[in-house]
Amino acid sequence: MKQFVIPSVNNLRFLDQACNGDAPILFLTKTNICNLHGIVEPIHAAKKKAFVHLEFMNGFKADREGLKLLKNAYKVDGVVSANLHALFEANSLGLETIYRLFLVDSISLERSENVLKGAHFSGIEVLPAINAIEEVQDLKEKLPNEFLIAGGFVRKQEVINRAFREGYTAVDTSDPTLW
């Protein structure tokens, strides 16, 4: 599978740049319910998928009705969240989902392994990227067949290169110079 950098767009002045890149998906951070429609349209016009970070979206509640709104009115393709309940609801509505796994210690890895048993997500974003890289073998063993994304504090090309060397298919970053 081709490796790619996912633009995490937190400043709309870089939206065109993100749409013109190689990544098949974009993460939208710091959006709000008022400007979302105008953001999703150019992403789809560029033949890319729009994923919204639920925790960073203003004016929105991540309940079933809110997720239906994202899918049906705003045509969002997927959501990114650490909120398992919201992700399960989004899955049931046919949205793609990416679980944010905060890897801060060995206990968080063990806990996530138990929580994720039987769950299906489009991908798992492992944060911060440096921990994701260091623990990649353990992650692949505990979470086989998962689409793993390294993210968080990706500020240098060398972090992206290392993540790709270690077997990650994708890395996400909000730094437009790395897209």
Side-chain angles (χ1 to χ4, degrees):
M1 179 176 242
K2 183 181 177 203
Q3 295 173 312
F4 55 93
V5 175
I6 300 170
S8 183
V9 181
N10 65 12
N11 187 324
L12 293 182
R13 72 178 186 196
F14 297 114
L15 182 61
D16 287 340
Q17 180 182 344
C19 286
N20 290 322
D22 294 333
I25 64 175
L26 275 65
F27 289 171
L28 301 173
T29 54
K30 296 188 181 175
T31 59
N32 65 64
I33 206 70
C34 296
N35 70 3
L36 188 58
H37 193 268
I39 298 170
V40 172
E41 281 183 353
I43 294 170
H44 286 162
K47 302 196 181 331
K48 298 180 184 307
K49 292 182 179 182
F51 280 68
V52 174
H53 268 279
L54 295 181
E55 285 85 4
F56 301 132
M57 187 171 178
N58 292 322
F60 174 76
K61 183 176 179 184
D63 60 6
R64 186 164 184 83
E65 296 307 312
L67 292 164
K68 281 183 185 178
L69 182 71
L70 286 180
K71 180 181 180 185
N72 299 325
Y74 292 97
K75 308 297 183 203
V76 167
D77 300 291
V79 296
V80 181
S81 182
N83 179 335
L84 287 168
H85 179 72
L87 292 175
F88 293 141
E89 284 289 343
N91 263 340
S92 75
L93 295 169
L95 286 165
E96 293 187 51
T97 53
I98 296 180
Y99 175 63
R100 299 188 88 204
L101 174 105
F102 292 93
L103 194 59
V104 294
D105 54 26
S106 60
I107 294 171
S108 62
L109 179 59
E110 289 172 26
R111 187 176 304 136
S112 292
E113 179 187 15
N114 291 330
V115 167
L116 296 175
K117 282 183 183 168
H120 175 72
F121 302 111
S122 306
I124 298 175
E125 178 189 25
V126 186
L127 303 118
I130 196 67
N131 290 3
I133 292 166
E134 289 296 323
E135 298 301 322
V136 69
Q137 295 309 319
D138 210 14
L139 285 163
K140 285 182 176 183
E141 182 181 305
K142 292 181 184 322
L143 305 170
N145 306 317
E146 293 292 344
F147 176 69
L148 297 175
I149 304 163
F153 294 107
V154 178
R155 298 180 181 146
K156 297 178 183 174
Q157 184 64 46
E158 65 191 58
V159 173
I160 295 170
N161 295 344
R162 186 166 173 218
F164 288 161
R165 276 194 311 272
E166 294 296 331
Y168 281 87
T169 301
V171 176
D172 73 270
T173 180
S174 59
D175 186 339
T177 64
L178 298 173
W179 299 342

